[in-house]
Amino acid sequence: MKKNVLITGASRGIGAACARTFARAGYDLYLCAQRSLEPLLQFQKELPSAYGISCHVSLCDVSSYEAVRALFADIPSLDILINNAGISHIGLLQDMSPAEWERLMSVNVSSCFYTAKCAIPLMLAQGHGRILNVSSVWGGVGASMETAYSASKGAVNAFTRALAKELAPSNIQVNAAAFGLIDTDMNQHLSESELRSLIQEIPADRIGSCEEAAALLFQLAHAPAYLTGQIVTMDGGWT
Ligand code: NAP
């Protein structure tokens, strides 16, 4: 029987690369983004005819439990959940407003709770499932000017480890991929010279691609079931 995957934040960047990677492997897709409907509709036009899969798309603000519940109302079963949607915030912590902090935490952390809460009953019913959370190296080591973002990804890491223990007896694996610098809109704020000096710190001497990030997530989705509760770092040897 065909397998399916829900990818949050699938309109661009790592999520969009995941959509193509899983479609190529024959997965039926559920894709969502917050605002960018056009790229999702483009996927809906291209991927089913190219790969013989189905592709359901919707706008969903994953920081809202009600919106996530509405998204899951149209998902009868789920094999893989990829919690990819995320936002960053660059600046000194003392300049961040409480509203900005709360927004970042709800998009990056609460969303993982909301989607998992809805996905787990579906996975329990079928006796298997995989939950993959997209994290960052900053969740482990922290980044100056990105304290809230680092804290949110640290929370995602702890969430991953704890939920993996809770769900291992039910044959549901929970892992995270902690990426270093990946070439997406999230890093658009970097000037050429900032990017160059960051790359000088990376032993691989380059930024990672979305396709590489998607390939790791695909491999984690197909890893032996004994792999659970792990935060797998992919950063070109940076941290
Ligand atoms: P991106 O290019 O900025 O794309 C972000 C995606 O998330 C978009 O599809 C966006 O949808 C969606 N999104 C944002 N807020 C959302 C919300 N409230 N509800 C639903 N969808 C929402 O970012 P990216 O670099 O691919 O990042 C993907 C994940 O990788 C994030 O969790 C990020 O923290 C993580 N990560 C990225 C890097 C990196 O260097 N790029 C490194 C480590 C970890 P819209 O298009 O509708 O806004």
Side-chain angles (χ1 to χ4, degrees), residues 87-158:
I87 53 173
S88 62
H89 179 94
I90 315 289
L92 294 172
L93 186 74
Q94 73 257 31
D95 295 336
M96 188 177 196
S97 71
E100 288 170 329
W101 169 277
E102 276 153 28
R103 175 77 191 151
L104 188 139
M105 288 298 168
S106 57
V107 174
N108 291 4
V109 186
S110 303
S111 62
C112 295
F113 162 51
Y114 300 152
T115 54
K117 183 173 167 60
C118 294
I120 290 165
L122 301 178
M123 293 177 173
L124 288 175
Q126 69 202 6
H128 66 89
R130 303 254 171 159
I131 298 175
L132 294 172
N133 299 319
V134 177
S135 188
S136 159
V137 290
W138 299 147
V141 298
S144 166
M145 305 282 283
E146 295 195 63
T147 299
Y149 181 77
S150 302
S152 75
K153 294 302 186 180
V156 167
N157 292 351

Side-chain angles (χ1 to χ4, degrees), residues 1-178:
M1 209 174 93
K2 263 214 173 130
K3 287 197 164 186
N4 64 16
V5 57
L6 166 61
I7 304 165
T8 68
S11 56
R12 49 201 168 90
I14 294 168
C18 281
R20 288 190 208 93
T21 300
F22 280 82
R24 215 175 293 126
Y27 277 80
D28 288 332
L29 304 177
Y30 289 93
L31 307 178
C32 81
Q34 186 188 6
R35 295 190 201 94
S36 314
L37 186 59
E38 203 44 52
L40 298 182
L41 292 174
Q42 196 55 36
F43 279 146
Q44 198 171 41
K45 215 157 92 184
E46 283 171 15
L47 300 178
S49 52
Y51 302 113
I53 55 142
S54 67
C55 179
H56 308 258
V57 305
S58 51
L59 290 183
C60 170
D61 180 349
V62 292
S63 71
S64 154
Y65 179 49
E66 287 317 311
V68 170
R69 265 171 39 131
L71 173 72
F72 272 82
D74 294 326
I75 304 180
S77 68
L78 189 64
D79 298 296
I80 301 172
L81 163 65
I82 303 185
N83 283 316
N84 167 74
I87 53 173
S88 62
H89 179 94
I90 315 289
L92 294 172
L93 186 74
Q94 73 257 31
D95 295 336
M96 188 177 196
S97 71
E100 288 170 329
W101 169 277
E102 276 153 28
R103 175 77 191 151
L104 188 139
M105 288 298 168
S106 57
V107 174
N108 291 4
V109 186
S110 303
S111 62
C112 295
F113 162 51
Y114 300 152
T115 54
K117 183 173 167 60
C118 294
I120 290 165
L122 301 178
M123 293 177 173
L124 288 175
Q126 69 202 6
H128 66 89
R130 303 254 171 159
I131 298 175
L132 294 172
N133 299 319
V134 177
S135 188
S136 159
V137 290
W138 299 147
V141 298
S144 166
M145 305 282 283
E146 295 195 63
T147 299
Y149 181 77
S150 302
S152 75
K153 294 302 186 180
V156 167
N157 292 351
F159 176 87
T160 301
R161 292 192 187 96
L163 188 61
K165 290 181 180 171
E166 195 167 308
L167 295 179
S170 305
N171 190 30
I172 300 170
Q173 292 75 41
V174 188
N175 291 294

